Amino acid sequence: MRVEQYTQPFASSFYKKYLEDISSLSSFYHYEWNQNALNNRLQETDFSKHKRNELVEVITSYMSPFGLSEKSKLHLEELKDNGIVVIGGQQAGLMSGPMYSIHKAISVIVLAKQQREILGVPVIPVFWIAGEDHDIDEVNHVYIERGRKLQKMTYPEASRIKKIASKSPFDKKMITAYLEELFKSLPETLHTKKLFQKVIALLENNLNYSDFFAALMNDFFQQEGLLLIDAAYEPLRKLESEYFQKMVKYSSQLAEVVFENEAAFEKAGYGTPIQTKENAAHLFYVEDGERFLLERKDGKFVNEGKGIAFSEVELMNIAINEPERLSNNVVTRPLMQEMVFPVLSFIGGPGEIAYWGTLRSAFELFEMRMPVIMPRLSITIVNSKTQNLLEKFSFRVPDIWEGMAEKAKLQYIDEHRNEKIPTLLASIKEDLTAKYKELETILQEENIKLAPLVNKNLDYHEKQITFLNNAIEDTFLGKLDASINRYDRLTMELTPNGGLQERTFSPLQLLNEAGTELIQDLLEIQYEFNGQHHIVFI
């Protein structure tokens, strides 16, 4: 494999600032993202406060059905003792969601390995699954190539009730049929049958979004000892009871400091990534698998649309006795992560890093400091066919990001177009319009009132000219189809949906081309956490 690095493409102004000038953002974060910060984090942080034995029991219980590798067992033992973690996570997307879910897991594993060697202490990779998320529309689809275009293939939900991902079951026949259709859309390779059999086998006992996601991720990364945990796992919620109580107790102060922090973040020109409210409770109440966001009103915690209202005492009792009925939001999830895990570093994507920038005072409210927030590895994978096209047209990958393939395609079309045809058609249309105008004038002079009919007749002929023009254009483009397709393929492979490959492509396409060994091959690359975008040529 060959690797090239480039400045992060398609980055927001804030993310560019974070990558290139983190020191200017010191008022929003406790640490910069470099080795000195990681060293300081280790020295300054009391990692003895965590409920390590209980946490290891919870993770072991959660992961056992998926299979615990020897490396995972070792990491659990280290976590029970004095190990610290590099952690990141993602929603439970179908087929693991977009490629950046895989890249995030690779980031966690690689950074943990690097820091284990540098710091001389056990550093363990952990991946949390956002099984408490209820926006199923964000996770229920895969983009796949069909008819030379990317199409969004959505799993047809049996129910439209928005339950959390961990409580959103698949219909066995429906999900099997969906996966069969998905694989039929792939080109047949040496790996297709084996990959399909693996996916169906992993689906067998994992019939909801979170479990299926966990089964896939465990299969991909178990030899690396990646520890997995679902944020909605009830035994984890039991462990978190004490921390939910704190969040209920300090709800008012938490809302205040986050609101002020986000206002400062916006004033600095970075927008409002959370769009928080002064009366936010920053907790959800869970009932029958559905989440209902709570607000504070008249001394109560309420969701008016659902008719829910709890006093602080009532909500505190829920936190004590039924913590599985509570769920974190975008503000309290990072806080809960810090309370539960001994975190050296959090691996984040651009959006996560932005909203964490509004939480510094929230961490301080609970007498904590943010971990080192490391930008995840950003990767584009270029297969041999795409490499051949790049060479044929003398393009580099950044050229495609900048739209040069599309520009070259339009130039190629223009160079082969006979300009006499559109000129002649325009002339015919002008002549026709002039003749009809002349006819209308004569009819008016003769007091023959047929203007509507004349205009209707003219409109008909103009539509026929447009139809003829479109037919000529379609036939003309058809003659150039093979060449046009090469340009379109470069754009689709490297900037699908107008952005980075990792934000649209599922691992499915790449694993079908290269086999599941691709994951291990990607893990063996010597990555640098430098904010650059990595291009991997396979």
Short mmCIF file of all heavy atoms in Angstrom, two decimals, residues 173-228:
data_model
loop_
_atom_site.label_atom_id
_atom_site.label_comp_id
_atom_site.label_asym_id
_atom_site.label_seq_id
_atom_site.Cartn_x
_atom_site.Cartn_y
_atom_site.Cartn_z
N LYS A 173 -37.11 -11.68 8.07
CA LYS A 173 -37.28 -11.86 6.62
C LYS A 173 -36.97 -10.58 5.87
O LYS A 173 -36.34 -10.59 4.80
CB LYS A 173 -38.71 -12.32 6.32
CG LYS A 173 -39.01 -13.76 6.73
CD LYS A 173 -40.42 -14.16 6.32
CE LYS A 173 -40.71 -15.61 6.71
NZ LYS A 173 -42.10 -16.01 6.32
N MET A 174 -37.39 -9.47 6.43
CA MET A 174 -37.22 -8.19 5.76
C MET A 174 -35.74 -7.79 5.67
O MET A 174 -35.25 -7.36 4.62
CB MET A 174 -38.02 -7.11 6.49
CG MET A 174 -38.26 -5.84 5.69
SD MET A 174 -39.28 -4.64 6.60
CE MET A 174 -40.86 -5.49 6.59
N ILE A 175 -35.01 -7.96 6.78
CA ILE A 175 -33.60 -7.58 6.77
C ILE A 175 -32.78 -8.54 5.91
O ILE A 175 -31.85 -8.13 5.22
CB ILE A 175 -33.02 -7.49 8.21
CG1 ILE A 175 -31.59 -6.91 8.20
CG2 ILE A 175 -33.02 -8.84 8.89
CD1 ILE A 175 -31.48 -5.50 7.72
N THR A 176 -33.16 -9.81 5.90
CA THR A 176 -32.46 -10.78 5.04
C THR A 176 -32.66 -10.44 3.58
O THR A 176 -31.71 -10.45 2.78
CB THR A 176 -32.94 -12.21 5.33
OG1 THR A 176 -32.71 -12.52 6.72
CG2 THR A 176 -32.18 -13.21 4.48
N ALA A 177 -33.91 -10.11 3.22
CA ALA A 177 -34.20 -9.73 1.83
C ALA A 177 -33.46 -8.44 1.45
O ALA A 177 -32.95 -8.30 0.33
CB ALA A 177 -35.70 -9.55 1.65
N TYR A 178 -33.40 -7.52 2.41
CA TYR A 178 -32.69 -6.26 2.17
C TYR A 178 -31.21 -6.52 1.89
O TYR A 178 -30.63 -5.97 0.94
CB TYR A 178 -32.84 -5.35 3.39
CG TYR A 178 -31.98 -4.11 3.35
CD1 TYR A 178 -32.36 -2.99 2.62
CD2 TYR A 178 -30.77 -4.07 4.03
CE1 TYR A 178 -31.56 -1.85 2.58
CE2 TYR A 178 -29.96 -2.96 4.00
CZ TYR A 178 -30.36 -1.84 3.27
OH TYR A 178 -29.55 -0.73 3.24
N LEU A 179 -30.59 -7.36 2.71
CA LEU A 179 -29.16 -7.66 2.53
C LEU A 179 -28.91 -8.41 1.23
O LEU A 179 -27.90 -8.18 0.55
CB LEU A 179 -28.64 -8.46 3.73
CG LEU A 179 -28.58 -7.69 5.06
CD1 LEU A 179 -28.24 -8.63 6.20
CD2 LEU A 179 -27.57 -6.55 4.98
N GLU A 180 -29.82 -9.30 0.87
CA GLU A 180 -29.69 -10.02 -0.40
C GLU A 180 -29.71 -9.04 -1.57
O GLU A 180 -28.91 -9.15 -2.50
CB GLU A 180 -30.80 -11.06 -0.54
CG GLU A 180 -30.63 -12.27 0.36
CD GLU A 180 -31.81 -13.21 0.32
OE1 GLU A 180 -32.87 -12.82 -0.24
OE2 GLU A 180 -31.71 -14.33 0.87
N GLU A 181 -30.63 -8.08 -1.51
CA GLU A 181 -30.72 -7.08 -2.58
C GLU A 181 -29.45 -6.22 -2.61
O GLU A 181 -28.94 -5.88 -3.68
CB GLU A 181 -31.95 -6.20 -2.37
CG GLU A 181 -32.15 -5.19 -3.50
CD GLU A 181 -33.37 -4.30 -3.28
OE1 GLU A 181 -34.04 -4.46 -2.24
OE2 GLU A 181 -33.61 -3.44 -4.13
N LEU A 182 -28.96 -5.90 -1.43
CA LEU A 182 -27.74 -5.10 -1.32
C LEU A 182 -26.57 -5.80 -2.01
O LEU A 182 -25.85 -5.20 -2.81
CB LEU A 182 -27.43 -4.88 0.17
CG LEU A 182 -26.58 -3.68 0.58
CD1 LEU A 182 -27.21 -2.38 0.13
CD2 LEU A 182 -26.40 -3.69 2.10
N PHE A 183 -26.41 -7.07 -1.72
CA PHE A 183 -25.29 -7.82 -2.29
C PHE A 183 -25.47 -8.07 -3.78
O PHE A 183 -24.50 -8.15 -4.52
CB PHE A 183 -25.09 -9.13 -1.53
CG PHE A 183 -24.20 -9.00 -0.34
CD1 PHE A 183 -24.69 -8.54 0.87
CD2 PHE A 183 -22.86 -9.32 -0.42
CE1 PHE A 183 -23.87 -8.39 1.98
CE2 PHE A 183 -22.02 -9.19 0.67
CZ PHE A 183 -22.52 -8.72 1.88
N LYS A 184 -26.72 -8.19 -4.23
CA LYS A 184 -26.96 -8.35 -5.67
C LYS A 184 -26.54 -7.10 -6.45
O LYS A 184 -26.25 -7.18 -7.64
CB LYS A 184 -28.44 -8.65 -5.93
CG LYS A 184 -28.85 -10.07 -5.59
CD LYS A 184 -30.34 -10.27 -5.82
CE LYS A 184 -30.78 -11.68 -5.39
NZ LYS A 184 -32.25 -11.84 -5.51
N SER A 185 -26.53 -5.97 -5.77
CA SER A 185 -26.14 -4.72 -6.42
C SER A 185 -24.63 -4.60 -6.57
O SER A 185 -24.15 -3.73 -7.30
CB SER A 185 -26.66 -3.52 -5.62
OG SER A 185 -28.06 -3.55 -5.51
N LEU A 186 -23.89 -5.46 -5.87
CA LEU A 186 -22.43 -5.42 -5.93
C LEU A 186 -21.93 -6.21 -7.13
O LEU A 186 -22.53 -7.23 -7.50
CB LEU A 186 -21.82 -6.01 -4.66
CG LEU A 186 -22.10 -5.31 -3.34
CD1 LEU A 186 -21.59 -6.16 -2.19
CD2 LEU A 186 -21.47 -3.93 -3.31
N PRO A 187 -20.82 -5.80 -7.73
CA PRO A 187 -20.22 -6.66 -8.76
C PRO A 187 -19.70 -7.95 -8.13
O PRO A 187 -19.16 -7.93 -7.04
CB PRO A 187 -19.07 -5.80 -9.30
CG PRO A 187 -18.78 -4.81 -8.22
CD PRO A 187 -20.08 -4.56 -7.53
N GLU A 188 -19.90 -9.06 -8.80
CA GLU A 188 -19.46 -10.35 -8.28
C GLU A 188 -17.94 -10.41 -8.29
O GLU A 188 -17.30 -10.16 -9.32
CB GLU A 188 -20.03 -11.48 -9.12
CG GLU A 188 -19.74 -12.87 -8.58
CD GLU A 188 -20.63 -13.24 -7.40
OE1 GLU A 188 -21.74 -12.67 -7.30
OE2 GLU A 188 -20.21 -14.08 -6.59
N THR A 189 -17.34 -10.71 -7.13
CA THR A 189 -15.89 -10.86 -7.02
C THR A 189 -15.57 -12.16 -6.30
O THR A 189 -16.48 -12.89 -5.86
CB THR A 189 -15.25 -9.70 -6.24
OG1 THR A 189 -15.59 -9.83 -4.84
CG2 THR A 189 -15.72 -8.35 -6.75
N LEU A 190 -14.29 -12.44 -6.12
CA LEU A 190 -13.87 -13.62 -5.37
C LEU A 190 -14.33 -13.56 -3.91
O LEU A 190 -14.40 -14.59 -3.24
CB LEU A 190 -12.34 -13.75 -5.41
CG LEU A 190 -11.72 -14.04 -6.78
CD1 LEU A 190 -10.19 -13.94 -6.69
CD2 LEU A 190 -12.13 -15.42 -7.28
N HIS A 191 -14.64 -12.35 -3.44
CA HIS A 191 -14.95 -12.16 -2.01
C HIS A 191 -16.45 -12.07 -1.72
O HIS A 191 -16.85 -12.14 -0.56
CB HIS A 191 -14.26 -10.89 -1.50
CG HIS A 191 -12.81 -10.80 -1.84
ND1 HIS A 191 -11.86 -11.63 -1.28
CD2 HIS A 191 -12.15 -10.00 -2.72
CE1 HIS A 191 -10.67 -11.32 -1.78
NE2 HIS A 191 -10.82 -10.35 -2.66
N THR A 192 -17.28 -11.90 -2.74
CA THR A 192 -18.69 -11.59 -2.53
C THR A 192 -19.42 -12.66 -1.72
O THR A 192 -20.08 -12.36 -0.72
CB THR A 192 -19.41 -11.38 -3.88
OG1 THR A 192 -18.68 -10.44 -4.67
CG2 THR A 192 -20.83 -10.89 -3.67
N LYS A 193 -19.29 -13.91 -2.15
CA LYS A 193 -20.02 -14.99 -1.49
C LYS A 193 -19.59 -15.15 -0.04
O LYS A 193 -20.43 -15.26 0.87
CB LYS A 193 -19.79 -16.31 -2.25
CG LYS A 193 -20.59 -17.47 -1.71
CD LYS A 193 -20.40 -18.74 -2.55
CE LYS A 193 -21.21 -19.90 -1.99
NZ LYS A 193 -21.02 -21.13 -2.80
N LYS A 194 -18.29 -15.13 0.20
CA LYS A 194 -17.77 -15.29 1.56
C LYS A 194 -18.23 -14.14 2.45
O LYS A 194 -18.62 -14.34 3.61
CB LYS A 194 -16.24 -15.36 1.53
CG LYS A 194 -15.60 -15.55 2.89
CD LYS A 194 -14.08 -15.61 2.75
CE LYS A 194 -13.42 -15.73 4.12
NZ LYS A 194 -11.92 -15.74 3.99
N LEU A 195 -18.19 -12.93 1.91
CA LEU A 195 -18.61 -11.76 2.68
C LEU A 195 -20.10 -11.83 3.01
O LEU A 195 -20.50 -11.54 4.15
CB LEU A 195 -18.30 -10.49 1.88
CG LEU A 195 -18.61 -9.15 2.55
CD1 LEU A 195 -17.84 -8.99 3.85
CD2 LEU A 195 -18.29 -8.00 1.59
N PHE A 196 -20.91 -12.23 2.05
CA PHE A 196 -22.34 -12.35 2.29
C PHE A 196 -22.63 -13.39 3.38
O PHE A 196 -23.44 -13.16 4.28
CB PHE A 196 -23.06 -12.73 1.00
CG PHE A 196 -24.55 -12.93 1.17
CD1 PHE A 196 -25.39 -11.86 1.41
CD2 PHE A 196 -25.10 -14.21 1.11
CE1 PHE A 196 -26.75 -12.03 1.57
CE2 PHE A 196 -26.46 -14.40 1.27
CZ PHE A 196 -27.30 -13.31 1.50
N GLN A 197 -21.96 -14.53 3.30
CA GLN A 197 -22.16 -15.59 4.30
C GLN A 197 -21.77 -15.09 5.69
O GLN A 197 -22.45 -15.39 6.68
CB GLN A 197 -21.34 -16.82 3.92
CG GLN A 197 -21.88 -17.56 2.70
CD GLN A 197 -20.96 -18.67 2.21
OE1 GLN A 197 -19.76 -18.71 2.54
NE2 GLN A 197 -21.50 -19.58 1.40
N LYS A 198 -20.69 -14.33 5.77
CA LYS A 198 -20.27 -13.77 7.06
C LYS A 198 -21.32 -12.83 7.62
O LYS A 198 -21.68 -12.92 8.80
CB LYS A 198 -18.93 -13.03 6.89
CG LYS A 198 -18.44 -12.36 8.18
CD LYS A 198 -17.26 -11.46 7.91
CE LYS A 198 -15.99 -12.25 7.69
NZ LYS A 198 -15.51 -12.86 8.94
N VAL A 199 -21.83 -11.94 6.76
CA VAL A 199 -22.81 -10.96 7.21
C VAL A 199 -24.09 -11.65 7.69
O VAL A 199 -24.64 -11.30 8.75
CB VAL A 199 -23.11 -9.97 6.07
CG1 VAL A 199 -24.34 -9.12 6.39
CG2 VAL A 199 -21.91 -9.06 5.82
N ILE A 200 -24.56 -12.63 6.94
CA ILE A 200 -25.78 -13.35 7.33
C ILE A 200 -25.56 -14.12 8.64
O ILE A 200 -26.45 -14.16 9.50
CB ILE A 200 -26.23 -14.30 6.20
CG1 ILE A 200 -26.69 -13.50 4.98
CG2 ILE A 200 -27.35 -15.22 6.67
CD1 ILE A 200 -27.86 -12.58 5.22
N ALA A 201 -24.38 -14.68 8.80
CA ALA A 201 -24.08 -15.41 10.04
C ALA A 201 -24.06 -14.46 11.24
O ALA A 201 -24.58 -14.79 12.32
CB ALA A 201 -22.74 -16.12 9.91
N LEU A 202 -23.50 -13.26 11.06
CA LEU A 202 -23.45 -12.29 12.15
C LEU A 202 -24.83 -11.72 12.46
O LEU A 202 -25.11 -11.34 13.60
CB LEU A 202 -22.49 -11.15 11.79
CG LEU A 202 -21.00 -11.54 11.72
CD1 LEU A 202 -20.17 -10.39 11.17
CD2 LEU A 202 -20.48 -11.95 13.09
N LEU A 203 -25.69 -11.69 11.46
CA LEU A 203 -27.05 -11.20 11.68
C LEU A 203 -27.88 -12.16 12.53
O LEU A 203 -28.78 -11.74 13.27
CB LEU A 203 -27.73 -11.00 10.32
CG LEU A 203 -29.22 -10.62 10.33
CD1 LEU A 203 -29.41 -9.21 10.87
CD2 LEU A 203 -29.81 -10.72 8.92
N GLU A 204 -27.58 -13.43 12.48
CA GLU A 204 -28.43 -14.49 13.01
C GLU A 204 -28.96 -14.21 14.41
O GLU A 204 -30.17 -14.31 14.67
CB GLU A 204 -27.66 -15.82 13.01
CG GLU A 204 -28.48 -17.02 13.46
CD GLU A 204 -29.66 -17.29 12.54
OE1 GLU A 204 -29.56 -17.02 11.32
OE2 GLU A 204 -30.70 -17.77 13.04
N ASN A 205 -28.10 -13.85 15.34
CA ASN A 205 -28.53 -13.61 16.72
C ASN A 205 -28.46 -12.15 17.11
O ASN A 205 -28.42 -11.83 18.31
CB ASN A 205 -27.69 -14.45 17.67
CG ASN A 205 -27.88 -15.94 17.43
OD1 ASN A 205 -29.01 -16.43 17.38
ND2 ASN A 205 -26.78 -16.66 17.25
N ASN A 206 -28.41 -11.27 16.11
CA ASN A 206 -28.21 -9.84 16.40
C ASN A 206 -29.21 -9.01 15.60
O ASN A 206 -28.84 -8.28 14.69
CB ASN A 206 -26.78 -9.45 16.05
CG ASN A 206 -25.76 -10.24 16.85
OD1 ASN A 206 -25.69 -10.13 18.06
ND2 ASN A 206 -25.00 -11.08 16.17
N LEU A 207 -30.46 -9.15 15.99
CA LEU A 207 -31.55 -8.61 15.18
C LEU A 207 -32.02 -7.23 15.63
O LEU A 207 -33.22 -6.95 15.72
CB LEU A 207 -32.71 -9.60 15.14
CG LEU A 207 -32.44 -10.83 14.26
CD1 LEU A 207 -33.52 -11.88 14.46
CD2 LEU A 207 -32.37 -10.42 12.79
N ASN A 208 -31.09 -6.35 15.97
CA ASN A 208 -31.41 -4.93 16.06
C ASN A 208 -30.17 -4.15 15.60
O ASN A 208 -29.10 -4.72 15.40
CB ASN A 208 -31.87 -4.51 17.47
CG ASN A 208 -30.78 -4.65 18.52
OD1 ASN A 208 -29.66 -4.17 18.34
ND2 ASN A 208 -31.11 -5.28 19.64
N TYR A 209 -30.33 -2.87 15.42
CA TYR A 209 -29.25 -2.06 14.84
C TYR A 209 -27.96 -2.16 15.65
O TYR A 209 -26.88 -2.36 15.09
CB TYR A 209 -29.69 -0.59 14.74
CG TYR A 209 -30.61 -0.30 13.59
CD1 TYR A 209 -32.00 -0.31 13.78
CD2 TYR A 209 -30.12 -0.01 12.33
CE1 TYR A 209 -32.86 -0.04 12.72
CE2 TYR A 209 -30.98 0.26 11.26
CZ TYR A 209 -32.34 0.23 11.47
OH TYR A 209 -33.19 0.49 10.42
N SER A 210 -28.07 -1.99 16.96
CA SER A 210 -26.87 -1.94 17.80
C SER A 210 -26.15 -3.28 17.85
O SER A 210 -24.91 -3.33 17.74
CB SER A 210 -27.23 -1.49 19.21
OG SER A 210 -27.62 -0.14 19.21
N ASP A 211 -26.90 -4.35 18.02
CA ASP A 211 -26.26 -5.67 18.13
C ASP A 211 -25.61 -6.08 16.81
O ASP A 211 -24.52 -6.66 16.80
CB ASP A 211 -27.29 -6.73 18.55
CG ASP A 211 -27.69 -6.60 20.01
OD1 ASP A 211 -27.06 -5.79 20.72
OD2 ASP A 211 -28.64 -7.29 20.44
N PHE A 212 -26.28 -5.79 15.69
CA PHE A 212 -25.71 -6.13 14.38
C PHE A 212 -24.43 -5.32 14.14
O PHE A 212 -23.42 -5.84 13.66
CB PHE A 212 -26.74 -5.86 13.29
CG PHE A 212 -26.37 -6.37 11.93
CD1 PHE A 212 -25.64 -7.53 11.75
CD2 PHE A 212 -26.75 -5.66 10.80
CE1 PHE A 212 -25.30 -7.99 10.48
CE2 PHE A 212 -26.42 -6.10 9.52
CZ PHE A 212 -25.69 -7.27 9.37
N PHE A 213 -24.48 -4.05 14.50
CA PHE A 213 -23.30 -3.20 14.38
C PHE A 213 -22.16 -3.74 15.24
O PHE A 213 -21.01 -3.84 14.79
CB PHE A 213 -23.67 -1.78 14.81
CG PHE A 213 -22.54 -0.79 14.76
CD1 PHE A 213 -22.30 -0.05 13.61
CD2 PHE A 213 -21.72 -0.57 15.86
CE1 PHE A 213 -21.27 0.88 13.56
CE2 PHE A 213 -20.69 0.34 15.82
CZ PHE A 213 -20.46 1.08 14.67
N ALA A 214 -22.47 -4.09 16.48
CA ALA A 214 -21.44 -4.59 17.40
C ALA A 214 -20.84 -5.89 16.89
O ALA A 214 -19.62 -6.11 16.98
CB ALA A 214 -22.04 -4.79 18.79
N ALA A 215 -21.69 -6.77 16.35
CA ALA A 215 -21.20 -8.05 15.83
C ALA A 215 -20.22 -7.83 14.68
O ALA A 215 -19.17 -8.49 14.60
CB ALA A 215 -22.38 -8.90 15.38
N LEU A 216 -20.54 -6.89 13.79
CA LEU A 216 -19.64 -6.58 12.67
C LEU A 216 -18.33 -5.98 13.17
O LEU A 216 -17.24 -6.40 12.75
CB LEU A 216 -20.33 -5.60 11.72
CG LEU A 216 -21.39 -6.17 10.77
CD1 LEU A 216 -22.20 -5.05 10.15
CD2 LEU A 216 -20.73 -7.01 9.68
N MET A 217 -18.43 -5.00 14.05
CA MET A 217 -17.22 -4.33 14.53
C MET A 217 -16.34 -5.29 15.32
O MET A 217 -15.10 -5.25 15.23
CB MET A 217 -17.60 -3.12 15.39
CG MET A 217 -18.30 -2.01 14.62
SD MET A 217 -17.28 -1.23 13.36
CE MET A 217 -16.35 -0.07 14.35
N ASN A 218 -16.95 -6.16 16.09
CA ASN A 218 -16.17 -7.14 16.84
C ASN A 218 -15.47 -8.11 15.89
O ASN A 218 -14.31 -8.48 16.09
CB ASN A 218 -17.07 -7.91 17.80
CG ASN A 218 -16.28 -8.79 18.76
OD1 ASN A 218 -15.44 -8.30 19.50
ND2 ASN A 218 -16.53 -10.08 18.74
N ASP A 219 -16.16 -8.49 14.82
CA ASP A 219 -15.55 -9.38 13.84
C ASP A 219 -14.37 -8.69 13.15
O ASP A 219 -13.33 -9.31 12.92
CB ASP A 219 -16.59 -9.79 12.81
CG ASP A 219 -16.06 -10.82 11.82
OD1 ASP A 219 -16.03 -12.01 12.17
OD2 ASP A 219 -15.66 -10.42 10.71
N PHE A 220 -14.53 -7.43 12.83
CA PHE A 220 -13.46 -6.69 12.15
C PHE A 220 -12.23 -6.50 13.04
O PHE A 220 -11.10 -6.56 12.54
CB PHE A 220 -13.95 -5.30 11.71
CG PHE A 220 -14.98 -5.31 10.62
CD1 PHE A 220 -15.85 -4.23 10.46
CD2 PHE A 220 -15.08 -6.36 9.72
CE1 PHE A 220 -16.79 -4.22 9.44
CE2 PHE A 220 -16.03 -6.36 8.70
CZ PHE A 220 -16.88 -5.28 8.57
N PHE A 221 -12.46 -6.25 14.35
CA PHE A 221 -11.37 -5.73 15.18
C PHE A 221 -11.05 -6.56 16.43
O PHE A 221 -10.26 -6.11 17.26
CB PHE A 221 -11.70 -4.29 15.62
CG PHE A 221 -11.81 -3.32 14.48
CD1 PHE A 221 -13.04 -2.82 14.09
CD2 PHE A 221 -10.68 -2.92 13.78
CE1 PHE A 221 -13.14 -1.91 13.04
CE2 PHE A 221 -10.77 -2.02 12.73
CZ PHE A 221 -12.00 -1.51 12.36
N GLN A 222 -11.62 -7.75 16.56
CA GLN A 222 -11.41 -8.47 17.81
C GLN A 222 -9.96 -8.87 18.02
O GLN A 222 -9.47 -8.94 19.17
CB GLN A 222 -12.32 -9.70 17.90
CG GLN A 222 -12.11 -10.74 16.83
CD GLN A 222 -13.05 -11.92 17.02
OE1 GLN A 222 -13.40 -12.28 18.15
NE2 GLN A 222 -13.50 -12.52 15.92
N GLN A 223 -9.23 -9.13 16.93
CA GLN A 223 -7.82 -9.52 17.10
C GLN A 223 -6.97 -8.36 17.60
O GLN A 223 -5.85 -8.57 18.09
CB GLN A 223 -7.27 -10.05 15.77
CG GLN A 223 -7.95 -11.32 15.28
CD GLN A 223 -8.09 -12.38 16.37
OE1 GLN A 223 -7.12 -12.70 17.07
NE2 GLN A 223 -9.29 -12.93 16.51
N GLU A 224 -7.49 -7.15 17.48
CA GLU A 224 -6.81 -5.98 18.04
C GLU A 224 -7.23 -5.72 19.48
O GLU A 224 -6.69 -4.82 20.13
CB GLU A 224 -7.13 -4.74 17.19
CG GLU A 224 -6.63 -4.83 15.77
CD GLU A 224 -5.11 -4.83 15.68
OE1 GLU A 224 -4.45 -4.26 16.58
OE2 GLU A 224 -4.57 -5.40 14.71
N GLY A 225 -8.21 -6.50 19.96
CA GLY A 225 -8.66 -6.32 21.34
C GLY A 225 -9.50 -5.08 21.56
O GLY A 225 -9.56 -4.55 22.67
N LEU A 226 -10.16 -4.60 20.49
CA LEU A 226 -11.02 -3.43 20.64
C LEU A 226 -12.19 -3.77 21.56
O LEU A 226 -12.95 -4.70 21.30
CB LEU A 226 -11.54 -2.98 19.27
CG LEU A 226 -12.48 -1.77 19.26
CD1 LEU A 226 -11.74 -0.51 19.72
CD2 LEU A 226 -13.08 -1.57 17.87
N LEU A 227 -12.35 -3.02 22.63
CA LEU A 227 -13.47 -3.23 23.55
C LEU A 227 -14.67 -2.42 23.08
O LEU A 227 -14.55 -1.27 22.67
CB LEU A 227 -13.08 -2.81 24.97
CG LEU A 227 -11.88 -3.54 25.59
CD1 LEU A 227 -11.67 -3.09 27.04
CD2 LEU A 227 -12.04 -5.05 25.51
N LEU A 228 -15.83 -3.04 23.13
CA LEU A 228 -17.07 -2.43 22.68
C LEU A 228 -18.05 -2.30 23.83
O LEU A 228 -18.11 -3.17 24.70
CB LEU A 228 -17.71 -3.27 21.58
CG LEU A 228 -16.89 -3.55 20.32
CD1 LEU A 228 -17.57 -4.64 19.48
CD2 LEU A 228 -16.72 -2.29 19.50
#
